[in-house]
Amino acid sequence: MFKRVTALSWAFTFFLFSFAWSKVTLDVKDKTLKNGLKILVVENHTAPVVSCMMRFKVGSVDERPGITGTAHLLEHMLFKGTKQIGTTNYEAEVPIMKKIDSLAVLLRAEQNKLQNVLWGGDSAKVKSLRDEIAKWQDEQRKYIIKDELWETYLENGGTGLNASTGNDRTQYYVSLPANRLELWAWLESDRLRNPVLREFYSERDVVFEERRLRTDTQPFGKLFEQFNALAFAAHPYGWPVVGWPGDLKTVMREEVEIFFKQYYAPNNAIMAIVGDVRAEEVFAMMTRYFEDIPPFPEPPRPVFTDEPKQEGERRAEVEFEANPLLAIGYMAREIAHPDNEVLDVTAAILSQGRTSRLYKKIVEEKKLAVNISADNSSSRYPDLFYITATPLAPHTPSEIETAVYEELERLKTEPVSQWELDKVKNQLDANFIRSLSSNTGIAFGLVEVTALVGDWRYLLQNIENMKKVTPDDIMRVAQKYFTKSNRTVVTLVKKEQAASAKL
């Protein structure tokens, strides 16, 4: 559902953009500091507020087996404070954290022994070590000022304070009164310069519980975890952003700290400041607070693992006590590939609104599904074009599959009418402008494309490229990607249904 756009937001939108038959321009001022930090500024003087976003070009794709979930766990840890924030006496915390780390080494050694009956693991010793760590964590809490970073922002008018982690990204953001921008600069530069991963093992337990609530006990969470794991045999997009349970139980504070040092540096970050500011003043302020932070000597190592070409359909069932679900995926392309924009338009033709093909045919006419959607991933590396659906009882996922494949075959053999294509392009254009109707929306769009493509101007170029998509382009990509040998299908079924199917 789209957010309601206020009159002020529309005034801002028309102030920022100039239209020439829907061609959009965006007044972005940019500067790169000597240490490589990219700063993007958009001035909007309609209200005395500013949205600030710091994006690091790191996500779960940059992890390795054994530490999956580290990017997301680190996001949590960076709200725990620094040597100055979140503590009454950092020096008193240091020996306690060293003691906790030494106990954690012993704990993991015992946990490893429990993986094989021949290794002589001792469950009682594991429990004893956990209890000992908890005792020292309680001792450390005497010096901790809980949530001081959060409280500082809130006390100074901060709203929308949050962070998020994905396959390709980690970002931290907040909106503030414009006269509190310098506070943001101080807090964020301190967080990048002097983070302290305090309360690590208790927070690791919090993330493990988050995984249980959002993945292990949720039908869509279970479905998509297995869907991605099946679709990606080699590439790290196959593991969950939140991490595998075994890794979350055993990852060490030192490993997460190493991950921070590998990926959190000015020359692996993009900053966007949008609101009631003057660009030159922002550049001067950020130079004072950030330019002395050392960059990486070399950029982080990219992911070199290519997903091998799929040589046949992959199919699986997930047994779970919930109503059936269906996910169909086709290996597609990365965001910068020319086919990606055609796939974006194709996804809109299939499921953008109630007049889209899948909704009209499968939800309205055949009444096979409660809902259905098609999406194109647009990621740093080649990723999935996928379709998800919830069957309408008593209909089954297989019935929906058949109907979906019929619609995909139509795309291969029948050119999309110009009327339908223009309708979808207008929808995409409106959605694009709507996404940029707030300071935070603009900041997110700018850091997203800059991180993935390298240039904020691609934010505008992408929508212009989609306007140039032709019916022949859509037929071409449908024939190229929507093939059985390139397909992954996962269905969620109840256990009794799976058992009866085997008989």
Side-chain angles (χ1 to χ4, degrees), residues 268-402:
N268 201 43
I270 300 137
M271 175 192 300
I273 307 293
V274 182
D276 189 19
V277 295
R278 302 290 179 187
E280 292 306 318
E281 294 174 4
V282 171
F283 296 146
M285 182 186 296
M286 300 309 153
T287 299
R288 290 199 306 275
Y289 282 96
F290 286 90
E291 196 165 54
D292 65 336
I293 300 175
F296 290 134
E298 297 180 5
R301 181 182 183 273
V303 176
F304 290 116
T305 303
D306 288 329
E307 183 64 25
K309 182 181 178 182
Q310 193 167 324
E311 300 293 348
E313 183 186 63
R314 299 171 185 171
R315 183 175 287 269
E317 284 186 348
V318 176
E319 296 180 8
F320 194 81
E321 290 306 312
N323 291 327
L325 297 171
L326 170 68
I328 303 168
Y330 297 92
M331 192 59 64
R333 297 301 313 198
E334 69 278 13
I335 187 172
H337 193 280
D339 286 351
N340 190 69
E341 289 134 352
V342 185
L343 289 165
D344 283 340
V345 175
T346 303
I349 289 169
L350 288 172
S351 73
Q352 179 78 55
R354 290 176 172 269
T355 60
S356 62
R357 292 189 173 193
L358 293 181
Y359 189 91
K360 285 179 65 178
K361 181 64 69 173
I362 295 173
V363 176
E364 287 190 344
E365 293 181 20
K366 295 188 175 182
K367 299 189 185 323
L368 299 176
V370 176
N371 55 60
I372 190 164
S373 66
D375 293 283
N376 184 42
S377 297
S378 296
S379 303
R380 194 195 316 176
Y381 302 105
D383 205 343
L384 294 173
F385 182 103
Y386 58 96
I387 297 166
T388 59
T390 304
L392 176 64
H395 297 290
T396 64
S398 62
E399 290 178 85
I400 297 176
E401 261 197 87
T402 300

Side-chain angles (χ1 to χ4, degrees), residues 77 80-82 85-87 93 140 144 196-200:
M77 294 310 306
K80 294 295 182 179
T82 66
I85 299 294
T87 183
E93 288 186 88
Q140 185 183 3
I144 292 173
V196 176
L197 308 187
R198 53 175 61 89
E199 297 184 290
F200 177 82

